Structure formats: C-alpha cells, structure tokens
Amino acid sequence: ANFAQRGGVIFAEGSAASYLCRKIVLSNGEIYNTVGILPAVANAVRADTDWGSPLYCEVTSVNDSPISTRGQMARGYRDARWLVRLEGKIPIAFKVLEVDITSGEGSKGQLVYEDDGLMPIPNVLATTVQIHWGSNPSLAERFINYMTGGAKP
C-alpha cells in the first residue's frame, strides 16, 4: 500500500486483483487480511482447483486509466472465481461485455460486469479481466508510457 501511496504504479488482473482488497474470503470460509488498497472484500466463489467455464469478454474503457483512454476496447478472459464486493464508491475503468466467441459478435454481447477496472487512486488499476494485450496493442504502449512518466489519467 505504501508503494502505491508514494506514486508506484500497480496493475493487477485476474486473481491478483483480489489481493489488493481489504480482505479475501476463501471458498472454505477462511478469511485473510490482504493489502487493503481497494475498499473491498474478495470472495472466492469457487475452490482454487475449479476454474469454471471461461468467460470471454470485451472491455470498454469508461474512464482513463494507466492502460487505456476512454472509449478504447480490448478482449480478455474474466476470472469468475472471485467476486469483488466494494465497500464504497471508487472510480472504475471498464464496463465488461460477455463475448460469444463462436459467433464473433463481439460487442453485441450481454453486459456482465459494469464496475470493473477499479482505481482507488489514479496509479492503481485492479481488474478481474485478464487482458489479451494482442487484441489492442496500444494498451501495452500506454501502460509502458504511464510507468515511465508519460501518459497520466
């Protein structure tokens, strides 16, 4: 938490996003205090060995973030093992649409998660989506630029 408060950039995706919460609750009921950057509790809705069915998705930026500017899109895989419950309101980066990969319909999918890409402070981004960087290479360029002092949200 001190690293982020001093301006260090943190990007956590998939399961890693849960560790930035105030605490995590495992599927067996065990509770652990975690980093505490996000005012949230992460609940494991599946056992660590149960990955469940993949949820392919498309994210659209609704705010500028360390990896994207408003309106940019990318594809990825949403880690459905964790449910992050916010304890308050913080800025978000994305809305997430489910994608039917068999039809190729893309953005015609169903809205599945509106509050994703959590940004408790501008230099921290936590998302349950594992971004497919090849779906929009400009995201990686922005992230590198952001970390080296260029672009800022």
Side-chain angles (χ1 to χ4, degrees):
N2 291 336
F3 173 77
Q5 292 167 344
R6 289 191 314 266
V9 179
I10 297 175
F11 174 64
E13 62 179 359
S15 296
S18 64
Y19 292 98
L20 295 184
C21 294
R22 204 174 44 73
K23 64 178 150 179
I24 59 174
V25 180
L26 300 180
S27 59
N28 65 5
E30 292 178 35
I31 300 172
Y32 294 93
N33 291 326
T34 48
V35 176
I37 294 173
L38 293 176
V41 174
N43 292 281
V45 293
R46 291 190 168 97
D48 290 341
T49 56
D50 179 8
W51 285 82
S53 298
L55 178 59
Y56 296 99
C57 60
E58 182 176 86
V59 297
T60 302
S61 295
V62 295
N63 288 303
D64 291 353
S65 76
I67 69 166
S68 61
T69 57
R70 184 185 307 255
Q72 284 189 301
M73 297 170 74
R75 291 207 174 179
Y77 167 82
R78 187 172 166 302
D79 189 342
R81 292 177 300 162
W82 292 95
L83 178 62
V84 175
R85 296 181 191 270
L86 282 174
E87 298 172 333
K89 190 165 174 73
I90 62 172
I92 61 157
F94 313 126
K95 68 178 178 180
V96 180
L97 296 173
E98 183 176 5
V99 174
D100 179 356
I101 61 172
T102 59
S103 71
E105 291 294 314
S107 61
K108 293 185 168 64
Q110 169 185 344
L111 182 67
V112 290
Y113 211 60
E114 196 159 6
D115 296 334
D116 203 290
L118 305 172
M119 298 186 304
I121 54 179
N123 51 305
V124 173
L125 175 60
T127 176
T128 59
V129 176
Q130 296 173 350
I131 302 292
H132 172 29
W133 296 94
S135 69
N136 187 342
S138 68
L139 301 182
E141 291 174 23
R142 177 172 170 84
F143 187 46
I144 290 167
N145 192 23
Y146 187 94
M147 289 186 358
T148 57
K152 296 291 179 195

